[in-house]
Amino acid sequence: MKSLVLKDLYNIGHNAKSLVFMLAILTIAIVPASGVGGYLVMCIVLCSMMTVTTFTFDDMAGWTPYALVMPVTRREVVLAKYGVLAVFSTAGAAFGLVTGGVVGAVVGEYDLSMSAIAELAVIALVGWAVAFGTGSIAIPLVFRFGAERARILLILSYLIPGALIAGVYGLLQMAGTSISHGMLTALLCASPLLALAWGGVMYQIACAIFARKEY
Amino acid sequence: MAAILEVKDLTKRYDGFTLDHVSFQVPGGCIMGLIGENGAGKSTTIKAVLDLIHRDAGTVTFWGQELSASSDLKEDIGVVFDGISFYETLTPAQVGRILGAAYRRWDDGLYKQYLERFSIPKEKEIKGLSKGMKAKLSIAAALSHRPKFLIMDEATSGLDPVMRDDMLDVFLEFVQDEEHSILMSSHITTDLEKVADYITFIHQGKLLFCKPKDELRYQYGIVRCGAAAFEQMDKADILAWRKEDYQWDVLVPDKEKARRLYKNVVVDDATIDDILLLYVKGERSK
């Protein structure tokens, strides 16, 4: 599986310069206007979306049949894509925290107090969870429809979790349960774990789809 | 010698095409050429053998084991497809690192030797390599984890005659070890005439024959004759025939017998191309 992840890192690494340049421009454009938090989430989501781009590279090169004749199972091929999603989401969070924090501090959008750092850390965790959760839906979609056709359907990967969260929130309100500030903070901090659990479900679906694919 | 690959009643159905109960064996220490016209089912056979498509019927075993039974079995199999399979911004050095992380027996020294032998620059992006270089890189990558069985689907089609000859030498070296074998599909039948020990001919999804190449070269013949001579020929002695502008070309399984029986006709040696053309474009005895 290491080789599969390494291949995607090399493939994307070639485009890393342009991605970093674009994110740097966005830092300057977004942070002074909208703050560090919004930029940070956007940074993580944009980086996580590179996972879909790796599928495009695979399709162009005819990689997948080659991967399947290597000593890996189909499940490992799928798992590697989730691994790559986690790596890209984490890299996006790290990059966003550093560049957003620096630019935010320079333009006065952000102070270096403990509460501000803690708030940014929570936003990074939530951003990571959003990116991993949505990316987890994108992977089975891409396995099913191919990278290009799935791009149109990727909106689903945002709508489905959004609708689920809104639905749960609505049910809680109907039941008269209010969420305290502490509970909300705990939920937000635990969101990466929820995203991982969600990713586990999506991984099983992606495996079932990929098992039927022919090359 | 025990079979390295055994394909039994391999069947795959698509709309408009069926790979129909194909069976053959690849013994150790040999090169088997897989021939057939475009769309005959060669690539489908290779894909089904490699579990890239689901079989509708039949079994495929390597050293007696199904490929799906153990991914470790793939350590012993090298595959070269028609095309490089790696994205064009990668370099041969990166390809080596990727495959080195995949195969337990990956031999980086051997890979570098192949790169040098084939004059492939290690740090040049794949998109800057010629088609021939890419084909050679694929072959180097397939050989460097020290497989025992090599499967190639039109792997040499991008190479010029000089490069192809170099590659054929590599393949012959590879099968010097009796535990090694190669299954290669190719349209370049002259290459197969040089190196193959067996020829498997698939036509319209069906196996026409799987025979030692020497039997085809030394026993099969083409009778060139007129209509009258053709009418006199015993149809039991004929495999296939084709009417050309001024003569009949008739494929016979025993050219010496044909020379003895039919004195007033020309009997030429049959090349694999001749055999393929007569089977595909000619008519066949029932």
Side-chain angles (χ1 to χ4, degrees):
Chain A
M1 197 184 89
K2 183 183 159 195
S3 64
L4 303 172
V5 175
L6 190 61
K7 179 268 307 172
D8 281 337
L9 295 183
Y10 279 141
N11 280 347
I12 290 296
H14 190 264
N15 297 333
K17 275 184 200 163
S18 49
L19 180 66
V20 166
F21 178 73
M22 186 183 77
L23 290 176
I25 296 290
L26 287 174
T27 320
I28 297 160
I30 293 176
V31 172
S34 310
V36 180
Y39 166 76
L40 180 55
V41 173
M42 184 213 65
C43 203
I44 301 168
V45 171
L46 269 181
C47 286
S48 74
M49 285 169 78
M50 298 303 280
T51 310
V52 176
T53 308
T54 67
F55 281 92
T56 308
F57 291 156
D58 291 351
D59 287 351
M60 287 167 76
W63 163 260
T64 310
Y66 194 85
L68 291 175
V69 300
M70 290 176 11
V72 292
T73 62
R74 286 189 176 233
R75 291 181 76 84
E76 283 172 321
V77 173
V78 177
L79 189 61
K81 287 296 180 193
Y82 281 87
V84 168
L85 173 64
V87 169
F88 288 163
S89 302
T90 307
F95 186 86
L97 275 172
V98 173
T99 56
V102 169
V103 174
V106 169
V107 299
E109 274 293 326
Y110 170 73
D111 61 69
L112 291 171
S113 67
M114 280 309 287
S115 63
I117 291 170
E119 188 188 340
L120 212 54
V122 172
I123 291 171
L125 287 175
V126 173
W128 192 94
V130 169
F132 191 83
T134 52
S136 294
I137 305 173
I139 289 172
L141 282 174
V142 178
F143 273 123
R144 175 67 184 83
F145 298 104
E148 290 315 306
R149 279 173 67 200
R151 278 186 198 277
I152 305 158
L153 298 169
L154 286 184
I155 190 76
L156 286 176
S157 62
Y158 291 90
L159 287 178
I160 293 170
L164 277 174
I165 291 165
V168 170
Y169 183 71
L171 282 174
L172 286 173
Q173 281 204 320
M174 278 167 61
T177 311
S178 62
I179 301 173
S180 65
H181 182 74
M183 195 190 287
L184 183 65
T185 308
L187 265 176
L188 291 176
C189 289
S191 59
L193 296 175
L194 295 173
L196 283 172
W198 174 256
V201 174
M202 291 297 113
Y203 163 70
Q204 294 299 341
I205 293 171
C207 285
I209 291 169
F210 191 51
R212 287 196 294 272
K213 289 289 270 188
E214 296 194 328
Y215 290 92
Chain B
M1 190 77 196
I4 287 182
L5 170 66
E6 185 167 10
V7 177
K8 220 183 266 181
D9 291 327
L10 181 61
T11 302
K12 174 69 184 175
R13 295 183 192 90
Y14 292 109
D15 282 344
F17 175 77
T18 301
L19 187 71
D20 196 1
H21 293 89
V22 168
S23 302
F24 61 90
Q25 287 188 353
V26 183
C30 81
I31 298 178
M32 176 171 283
L34 195 57
I35 62 166
E37 73 281 12
N38 284 336
K42 303 185 297 294
S43 292
T44 305
T45 302
I46 286 177
K47 285 176 183 176
V49 161
L50 290 169
D51 271 353
L52 295 175
I53 55 175
H54 302 296
R55 303 188 288 271
D56 290 315
T59 57
V60 175
T61 54
F62 293 87
W63 298 279
Q65 276 186 289
E66 290 253 357
L67 202 56
S68 55
S70 162
S71 63
D72 280 356
L73 212 51
K74 294 178 182 174
E75 291 274 355
D76 291 326
I77 302 168
V79 180
V80 184
F81 292 116
D82 179 17
I84 183 71
S85 303
F86 288 92
Y87 191 58
E88 59 179 16
T89 55
L90 294 179
T91 64
Q94 287 173 328
V95 168
R97 286 195 282 275
I98 291 166
L99 296 177
Y103 289 96
R104 280 199 307 269
R105 284 207 307 269
W106 179 261
D107 186 336
D108 209 47
L110 181 63
Y111 179 62
K112 282 172 183 159
Q113 275 178 34
Y114 277 124
L115 293 185
E116 270 180 36
R117 180 173 172 181
F118 299 158
S119 307
I120 301 169
K122 276 185 281 193
E123 299 299 339
K124 190 170 182 176
E125 287 184 354
I126 286 170
K127 67 181 171 193
L129 302 178
S130 67
K131 195 177 176 195
M133 289 273 199
K134 289 176 190 172
K136 289 197 290 186
L137 175 59
S138 297
I139 292 165
L143 288 170
S144 296
H145 64 274
R146 298 193 177 278
K148 293 177 182 165
F149 187 48
L150 202 55
I151 298 179
M152 295 185 285
D153 190 6
E154 299 293 344
T156 55
S157 57
L159 300 173
D160 65 43
V162 179
M163 280 186 187
R164 282 211 318 275
D165 200 58
D166 291 345
M167 288 304 112
L168 297 182
D169 286 343
V170 172
F171 301 156
L172 287 171
E173 277 171 31
F174 179 77
V175 293
Q176 289 303 304
D177 187 331
E178 285 287 303
E179 289 189 344
H180 290 180
S181 279
I182 297 176
L183 172 67
M184 60 187 289
S185 82
S186 180
H187 281 118
I188 307 168
T189 53
T190 49
D191 286 355
L192 297 178
E193 275 172 3
K194 280 184 197 163
V195 298
D197 300 292
Y198 293 89
I199 299 291
T200 295
F201 185 177
I202 296 175
H203 175 52
Q204 293 177 342
K206 289 191 169 70
L207 182 81
L208 279 187
F209 61 71
C210 178
K211 288 181 183 295
K213 180 195 68 185
D214 287 347
E215 184 181 327
L216 302 175
R217 274 178 64 184
Y218 300 123
Q219 292 182 24
Y220 276 43
I222 308 282
V223 175
R224 322 258 186 210
C225 61
F230 176 71
E231 290 306 326
Q232 286 173 3
M233 287 180 75
D234 183 350
K235 298 299 181 276
D237 290 338
I238 295 174
L239 294 171
W241 68 89
R242 187 180 178 200
K243 188 180 181 313
E244 299 289 355
D245 288 345
Y246 301 106
Q247 68 177 20
W248 293 75
D249 289 346
V250 184
L251 181 67
V252 293
D254 188 341
K255 63 187 169 197
E256 292 308 324
K257 184 182 173 189
R259 282 175 183 140
R260 281 197 309 274
L261 287 178
Y262 312 114
K263 299 290 182 194
N264 53 346
V265 298
V266 174
V267 182
D268 288 334
D269 294 342
T271 63
I272 294 174
D273 258 350
D274 292 330
I275 295 168
L276 194 148
L277 272 174
L278 274 162
Y279 267 120
V280 172
K281 298 187 83 174
E283 295 175 61
R284 270 183 286 156
S285 306
K286 299 290 178 220

